[in-house]
Amino acid sequence: MKFEKIVLTCLAITLFNCKSSQIGEKKAIAPKNVILLISDGTGLSQISSAFYFKDSSPNYARFSDIGLINTSSSREDVTDSAAGATAFACGVKTYNGAIGVADDSTTVKNLVEIVSKKNIKTGMIATSSITHATPASFFAHTFNRGSTEEIALHLTQSEVDFFAGGGLQFFNKRKDGRNLLEALKEKKFMIDTTALVDFSKIRTNQKAGFLLAADDMPPAAEGRGDFLSKATSLALQFLSKDDTGFFMMAEGSQIDWAGHQNNGPYLVSELIDFDDAIGKALDYAEKDGHTLVIVTSDHETGGFTLSAQIKKRADGTEYSDYSQVGMSFSNGGHSAALIPVFAFGPGSKEFIGVYENNDIFEKILKVTKWRGQD
């Protein structure tokens, strides 16, 4: 009899736990908004530099849900930014150089095309030209990332609601003589080619676009300043004003360029600038409670390493000073290293683990439940 009571008690506890687990699953909140922050060319060492060279605590330290992605493209072990961003934007592995097309060159729908049909607002920000590989993959479809004028035309035909970056010349100084700024205005865009503005000045506009450099934006340390953080904050205000939900992608483009140049100070300044933008996104998400923030990169660039600083003795011989961090590079190209993924907010647990880069697209659609009639 005593044994039967013990068995019954164990069964009751098991059933209660199962029921509690099911209730917990039913209560899982689907994020209303998604902010995807991409630091081009950034691996773990680049991220680590913020912990040594930033004057304040890095915003990377605010995450607890972290994963890793394999970034290889469909034909190459080492990806480029076009294939890497297409994986994020469209959920497919494709060949290096491809924008929004699959390995067989067929067009694949991107997140902007999928969610805009559900009245979800979308925004793109980059410290490069807005026609550059990463932002382009979220609104364009071309066989070659170098088709910048074609990519600019695709932006005028997309459902993007907000964008900010460089690339003005691809809209108003084109080989075909067309002025795409007029086409954007016909699509209800407020266009500014001089500076970001206060939200109050665009609150009533249906769409807003900022093209603030002829081609790429200047480096943060050479005139761009805190454009990325300000544009991120402005986009969050603009995209959330109708409370219908939004998807936003913001890229710290020039961390990659610094890696290609093997320029440590340039890299660190761009990485810290990107970390500041992460702070804006996390502050918004913490206050809002319905926003998922994902931070990752398309690939690592330069084989960047943090190591003991190399110094010289009086006799000219070198030694490693372990009390100071130095920076070094192993190459001038991309690498195949696994890339960290940081997530915060409802649905963030889905991004823990080791998976392929195109799984980020699937995971976003899964946790938001945005997949449907698309």
Side-chain angles (χ1 to χ4, degrees), residues 7-323:
V7 172
L8 288 171
T9 300
C10 290
L11 283 172
I13 292 171
T14 301
L15 289 170
F16 176 78
N17 287 337
C18 288
K19 189 174 182 180
S20 298
S21 177
Q22 290 172 355
I23 291 171
E25 289 175 5
K26 289 179 181 178
K27 288 184 177 179
I29 301 171
K32 186 176 183 179
N33 315 306
V34 175
I35 303 170
L36 175 61
L37 300 171
I38 300 172
S39 51
D40 200 313
T42 300
L44 186 56
S45 288
Q46 284 88 342
I47 293 167
S48 300
S49 70
F51 288 79
Y52 291 96
F53 298 109
K54 190 173 185 180
D55 292 334
S56 58
S57 177
N59 288 295
Y60 277 107
R62 296 165 65 179
F63 293 93
S64 57
D65 296 332
I66 302 169
L68 291 169
I69 52 171
N70 172 41
T71 64
S72 298
S73 58
S74 62
R75 305 180 191 180
E76 298 91 358
D77 289 334
V78 181
T79 191
D80 79 330
S81 295
T86 295
F88 297 150
C90 306
V92 298
K93 294 269 191 180
T94 190
Y95 59 89
N96 286 357
I99 298 288
V101 297
D103 183 72
D104 61 0
S105 298
T106 56
T107 296
V108 282
K109 287 186 177 179
N110 55 50
L111 280 168
V112 169
E113 291 166 330
I114 292 170
V115 306
S116 61
K117 290 184 178 180
K118 305 174 188 300
N119 199 32
I120 294 166
K121 303 300 181 184
T122 58
M124 301 294 129
I125 301 169
T127 57
S128 62
S129 163
I130 202 68
T131 61
H132 213 263
T134 301
S137 297
F138 287 85
F139 62 79
H141 304 279
T142 65
F143 302 145
N144 190 322
R145 59 183 288 178
S147 305
T148 49
E149 292 195 354
E150 181 185 354
I151 290 169
L153 180 61
H154 283 216
L155 181 57
T156 70
Q157 300 166 344
S158 78
E159 295 302 319
V160 171
D161 298 288
F162 179 101
F163 66 84
L168 176 60
Q169 66 183 5
F170 305 119
F171 293 83
N172 68 352
K173 293 183 179 179
R174 298 167 55 85
K175 294 176 183 176
D176 61 12
R178 298 177 63 179
N179 184 354
L180 297 187
L181 299 184
E182 294 304 317
L184 287 168
K185 290 173 183 177
E186 289 176 7
K187 289 272 290 188
K188 309 300 182 184
F189 270 97
M190 184 291 302
I191 298 295
D192 197 311
T193 61
T194 57
L196 296 173
V197 299
D198 291 334
F199 172 58
S200 60
K201 294 184 179 179
I202 59 173
R203 182 191 296 271
T204 59
N205 290 99
Q206 188 173 330
K207 295 173 180 280
F210 299 88
L211 293 167
L212 306 182
D215 194 345
D216 301 312
M217 301 285 288
E222 297 178 16
R224 192 180 79 235
D226 57 356
F227 159 82
L228 185 58
S229 291
K230 286 183 175 179
T232 298
S233 294
L234 182 60
L236 291 173
Q237 289 177 290
F238 188 80
L239 296 173
S240 64
K241 65 188 177 77
D242 296 326
D243 200 31
T244 58
F246 65 81
F247 169 78
M248 185 184 84
M249 189 288 297
E251 182 197 30
S253 317
Q254 299 189 33
I255 303 165
D256 173 67
W257 305 350
H260 281 298
Q261 296 176 23
N262 286 183
N263 187 329
Y266 181 17
L267 187 154
V268 170
S269 65
E270 292 294 326
L271 192 282
I272 289 175
D273 178 62
F274 181 76
D275 186 73
D276 289 340
I278 293 175
K280 298 296 183 183
L282 288 176
D283 289 347
Y284 178 90
E286 287 177 348
K287 184 177 179 180
D288 174 71
H290 301 284
T291 299
L292 169 65
V293 179
I294 306 159
V295 180
T296 190
S297 175
D298 46 4
H299 55 76
E300 191 277 340
T301 302
F304 180 66
T305 303
L306 295 174
S307 56
Q309 197 168 102
I310 304 300
K311 294 184 176 180
K312 286 188 176 183
R313 300 183 179 89
D315 62 2
T317 59
E318 293 184 341
Y319 70 98
S320 297
D321 185 349
Y322 279 74
S323 66

